[in-house]
Amino acid sequence: HGPLWKATRDGRTVYLYGTIHVARWQWSFPGPQVMRAVRASDAIALELDLTDPDVLARLQKAVLRTPGSPVLPDPLEKRLLASMAAACVAPAALAPLRPEMQAVTLEVMQGRAFGLHAEYGIDVFLAGLGRKLNKPVRSLETPESQAALLVSDDPAETARAVGAVLDELEGGQAPAMLERLAGDWERGDVDDMAAYASWC
């Protein structure tokens, strides 16, 4: 499952495997081409190696509420709480997270109706596989740079981001978009993925 590219120059080969962060259980197991690519590689490089305790701790710290974190305007907070209730999520379970991460968590949870779970994300499996094969596993990005794409210290930007996710959740578009994107990944349909901005 998923798109796999191979590039060779001056006798060196690199494989690029497009991964997905929410997946079905059966997608976690690499097919023969992906397995050959992993075995042929000297190292595994991921956005973030979430099996590294330091990376995971830094990412978790970056998305937690702090005393200076933006708070949502009351009407937006009420909409977020209503979305939690609709998803049968206790507000206390998400309370430690910044508002953007609360909303994104609810959006990701929509995938469960289609068997898509963050626990089966392909990157985590590849990191574990790399370690079992005694290959170095490296992070290409930092937890802080990843978190900066998801959360903001600007109250207006936080409100805009949460409002956009809630619009998708309340309008029912989120599940359909997630299912389409996951289906594109499963089939390796890079053309439809490339046109994401036109149908999202």
Side-chain angles (χ1 to χ4, degrees), residues 1-4 15-21 23 25 27-52 118-140 185:
H1 305 289
L4 175 69
Y15 297 93
L16 176 63
Y17 183 39
T19 59
I20 189 168
H21 299 314
W25 175 78
W27 295 352
S28 298
F29 305 99
Q33 292 182 58
V34 172
M35 197 65 202
R36 275 194 296 272
V38 170
R39 288 188 184 280
S41 298
D42 297 327
I44 308 295
L46 307 166
E47 281 179 66
L48 290 177
D49 174 14
L50 295 180
T51 65
D52 180 330
E119 299 91 320
Y120 304 139
I122 305 302
D123 293 59
V124 175
F125 183 86
L126 285 178
L129 177 62
R131 292 191 193 291
K132 290 237 184 251
L133 295 173
N134 295 315
K135 296 179 184 291
V137 179
R138 301 185 180 122
S139 294
L140 296 172
W185 180 85

Side-chain angles (χ1 to χ4, degrees), residues 98-121:
R98 287 181 176 233
E100 300 99 323
M101 290 307 300
Q102 293 181 27
V104 167
T105 299
L106 291 172
E107 191 168 40
V108 168
M109 288 176 67
Q110 295 275 309
R112 292 181 175 182
F114 310 109
L116 300 170
H117 297 264
E119 299 91 320
Y120 304 139

Side-chain angles (χ1 to χ4, degrees), residues 1-197:
H1 305 289
L4 175 69
W5 291 269
K6 176 182 178 181
T8 303
R9 187 174 74 180
D10 299 331
R12 299 280 295 173
T13 297
V14 62
Y15 297 93
L16 176 63
Y17 183 39
T19 59
I20 189 168
H21 299 314
V22 291
R24 294 192 173 106
W25 175 78
Q26 60 269 33
W27 295 352
S28 298
F29 305 99
Q33 292 182 58
V34 172
M35 197 65 202
R36 275 194 296 272
V38 170
R39 288 188 184 280
S41 298
D42 297 327
I44 308 295
L46 307 166
E47 281 179 66
L48 290 177
D49 174 14
L50 295 180
T51 65
D52 180 330
D54 176 62
V55 169
L56 184 59
R58 286 164 57 197
L59 181 63
Q60 289 171 336
K61 180 181 177 184
V63 298
L64 290 177
R65 283 185 189 265
T66 61
S69 297
V71 296
L72 296 175
D74 193 52
L76 202 54
E77 180 70 23
K78 287 179 179 173
R79 287 177 62 197
L80 183 59
L81 290 172
S83 288
M84 289 183 200
C88 296
V89 174
L94 299 182
L97 299 174
R98 287 181 176 233
E100 300 99 323
M101 290 307 300
Q102 293 181 27
V104 167
T105 299
L106 291 172
E107 191 168 40
V108 168
M109 288 176 67
Q110 295 275 309
R112 292 181 175 182
F114 310 109
L116 300 170
H117 297 264
E119 299 91 320
Y120 304 139
I122 305 302
D123 293 59
V124 175
F125 183 86
L126 285 178
L129 177 62
R131 292 191 193 291
K132 290 237 184 251
L133 295 173
N134 295 315
K135 296 179 184 291
V137 179
R138 301 185 180 122
S139 294
L140 296 172
E141 301 181 26
T142 66
E144 294 77 16
S145 66
Q146 282 269 301
L149 297 172
L150 299 170
V151 300
S152 173
D153 290 328
D154 178 356
E157 177 57 27
T158 294
R160 186 209 60 76
V162 171
V165 173
L166 291 177
D167 287 346
E168 291 176 1
L169 290 171
E170 294 164 355
Q173 300 101 329
M177 286 191 296
L178 189 56
E179 185 181 31
R180 180 169 175 174
L181 193 59
D184 285 348
W185 180 85
E186 181 185 16
R187 295 183 302 277
D189 187 345
V190 292
D191 290 335
D192 198 51
M193 282 190 271
Y196 178 76

